């Protein structure tokens, strides 16, 4: 039987946590997967040395996941084409703004039977419409693409603290492969066929987390944050039903990718953290990103802007009061107290 050749595209904190899991599972399931996992790492200098060299010599991503050992069968590769040559299973876990450019470079270099999975939490929303990142990957590379999302803080996953995640995959056979690649005793996978719902919930919950962070920054307490989370879940579900119809299963909102991820993101995560500091200090979001995120960017504020423009084009802004209020606080200077007054 031909074994599957795995590559990972991306190497931030989430990409590094996933590399640990994938490296362990390819070694464990040697009859299914080729042992070596190539990981595309955007080359950076860390203390005068190339990050890829550090990873390959020390088996640790010292910039994005310091203190966590990576399996020795995970090999960091600085060239995206070289990393994906002949790969039959491709794991995308990189910032969403780079998806299109990276996929264009990868065209023609994958195995003929290649399949992909997107771990990118977000979606492209414009006034004209929406595009899910698995759809973008499918369109450019002409291969099937599943999605994985869940209540998964990268550092906790890397340190083997128990959690769950959801894989959305139309093909039952491919779903079984993704299950073998990701499932561990501490990272439990449930496979469903709703890839659209898995991704939509993973994107919209970041907007709600911005609202939760603002509430925390104002010192409003647990009751207020619970109300924001509940209202946020209702607006997430309403958005899905309104614009995706029967493409999304209601049950998906009760998966790890849905309500569990929403709770986690509103309790921890970068969107809540930076938004709390925004409400507390009044500093611009861009300044707080630079101070608090070690080179990473927020997704919640950008998604809030994209959702607002999408709803404005359809005269539906007022149908989603929490989404509207988050946008106005971040981008129009509305006072932070509006997070409870105007929803």
């Amino acid at each position: 039987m031909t074994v599957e050749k795995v590559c990972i595209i991306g190497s931030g904190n989430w990409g590094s946590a996933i590399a640990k899991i994938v490296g362990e599972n390819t070694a464990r399931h040697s009859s299914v997967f080729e042992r070596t996992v190539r990981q595309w790492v955007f080359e950076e200098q860390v203390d005068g040395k190339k990050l890829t060299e550090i990873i390959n010599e020390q088996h640790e991503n010292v910039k994005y996941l310091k203190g966590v050992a990576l399996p020795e069968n995970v090999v960091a590769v600085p060239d995206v084409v070289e990393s994906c040559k002949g790969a039959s299973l491709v794991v995308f876990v990189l910032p969403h703004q780079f998806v299109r450019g990276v996929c264009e470079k990868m065209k023609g270099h994958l195995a003929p039977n290649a399949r992909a999975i997107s771990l990118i939490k977000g979606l492209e929303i414009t006034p004209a419409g929406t595009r899910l990142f698995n759809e973008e990957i499918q369109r450019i590379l002409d291969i099937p693409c599943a999605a994985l999302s869940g209540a998964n803080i990268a550092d906790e996953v890397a340190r083997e603290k128990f959690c769950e995640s959801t894989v959305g995959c139309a093909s039952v056979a491919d779903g079984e492969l993704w299950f073998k690649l990701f499932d561990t005793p501490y990272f439990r996978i449930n496979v469903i066929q709703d890839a659209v719902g898995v991704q939509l919930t993973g994107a919209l919950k970041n907007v709600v987390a911005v609202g939760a962070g603002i509430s925390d920054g104002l010192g409003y307490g647990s009751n207020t944050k619970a109300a924001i989370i509940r209202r946020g879940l209702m607006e997430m579900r309403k958005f899905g039903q309104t614009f995706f119809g029967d493409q999304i299963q209601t049950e998906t909102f009760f998966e790890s990718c849905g309500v569990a991820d929403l709770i986690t993101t509103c309790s921890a995560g970068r969107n809540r953290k930076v938004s709390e500091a925004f409400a507390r200090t009044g500093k611009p979001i861009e300044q707080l990103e630079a101070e608090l995120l070690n080179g990473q960017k927020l997704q919640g504020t950008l998604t809030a802007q994209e959702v607002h423009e999408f709803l404005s084009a359809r005269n539906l802004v007022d149908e989603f009061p929490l989404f509207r209020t988050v946008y106005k606080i971040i981008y129009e200077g509305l006072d932070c107290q509006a997070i409870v007054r105007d929803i």
Side-chain angles (χ1 to χ4, degrees), residues 20-269:
K20 178 178 182 291
I21 289 171
V22 169
E24 291 169 352
N25 279 349
T26 55
R28 184 156 63 102
H29 300 293
S30 57
S31 63
V32 180
F33 307 110
E34 188 175 295
R35 189 175 187 278
T36 299
V37 176
R38 287 174 297 173
Q39 181 177 27
W40 175 56
V41 174
F42 181 76
E43 193 68 279
E44 300 178 67
Q45 293 287 320
V46 178
D47 296 329
K49 193 168 185 178
K50 292 178 179 178
L51 181 57
T52 53
E53 292 179 359
I54 295 172
I55 292 171
N56 291 333
E57 292 170 7
Q58 300 179 20
H59 306 292
E60 179 185 350
N61 188 328
V62 295
K63 178 161 187 181
Y64 294 111
L65 200 63
K66 193 172 180 62
V68 175
L70 298 177
E72 293 185 7
N73 58 318
V74 174
V75 178
V77 180
D79 180 78
V80 68
V81 171
E82 189 62 33
S83 72
C84 74
K85 273 184 182 175
S88 58
L89 295 178
V90 187
V91 179
F92 283 92
V93 55
L94 74 168
H96 68 268
Q97 61 266 35
F98 302 118
V99 170
R100 189 173 294 120
V102 167
C103 284
E104 289 291 348
K105 291 179 181 177
M106 293 170 63
K107 283 166 69 171
H109 297 288
L110 302 176
N113 65 330
R115 290 85 86 209
I117 189 166
S118 170
L119 278 64
I120 302 161
K121 289 189 177 180
L123 69 160
E124 187 177 82
I125 308 174
T126 67
T130 62
R131 175 172 283 162
L132 302 167
F133 288 113
N134 81 316
E135 294 174 344
E136 186 78 339
I137 292 165
Q138 287 176 165
R139 182 185 66 82
I140 298 174
L141 296 177
D142 194 27
I143 61 175
C145 186
L148 180 150
S149 184
N152 309 140
I153 301 293
D155 184 70
E156 294 183 13
V157 173
R159 298 181 194 282
E160 301 189 7
K161 296 181 179 180
F162 177 85
C163 66
E164 301 173 313
S165 202
T166 312
V167 168
C169 183
S171 163
V172 173
D174 286 352
E176 291 174 356
L177 270 178
W178 297 124
F179 180 87
K180 282 189 174 71
L181 189 63
F182 295 113
D183 186 72
T184 75
Y186 64 88
F187 190 66
R188 299 282 182 82
I189 297 296
N190 189 37
V191 181
I192 63 176
Q193 292 183 287
D194 181 10
V196 173
V198 167
Q199 293 172 96
L200 183 67
T201 52
L204 295 180
K205 56 91 183 180
N206 287 324
V207 182
V208 185
V210 173
I214 291 169
S215 175
D216 284 348
L218 295 171
Y220 281 166
S222 299
N223 293 343
T224 303
K225 187 153 75 169
I228 289 171
I229 291 171
R230 187 196 71 82
R231 288 171 179 256
L233 181 62
M234 296 299 291
E235 291 192 18
M236 288 165 57
R237 186 180 176 206
K238 183 176 181 178
F239 191 98
Q241 290 173 328
T242 303
F243 302 111
F244 292 90
D246 58 9
Q247 288 182 271
I248 292 183
Q249 301 166 9
T250 297
E251 293 81 3
T252 302
F253 290 91
F254 300 98
E255 289 282 344
S256 181
C257 64
V259 65
D261 195 14
L262 177 62
I263 292 169
T264 295
T265 308
C266 290
S267 303

Side-chain angles (χ1 to χ4, degrees), residues 123 125-126 203-204 207 239 302-313 317 320 323-324 327:
L123 69 160
I125 308 174
T126 67
L204 295 180
V207 182
F239 191 98
L302 176 59
T303 303
Q305 182 180 35
E306 292 173 343
V307 166
H308 184 80
E309 292 171 355
F310 176 85
L311 294 173
S312 294
V317 168
F320 298 85
F323 291 169
R324 176 197 64 205
Y327 169 81

Side-chain angles (χ1 to χ4, degrees), residues 270-285:
R270 71 187 74 162
N271 292 285
R272 192 219 63 82
K273 178 181 179 180
V274 173
S275 301
E276 178 187 20
F278 173 80
R280 224 177 350 95
T281 67
K283 293 180 181 179
I285 289 290

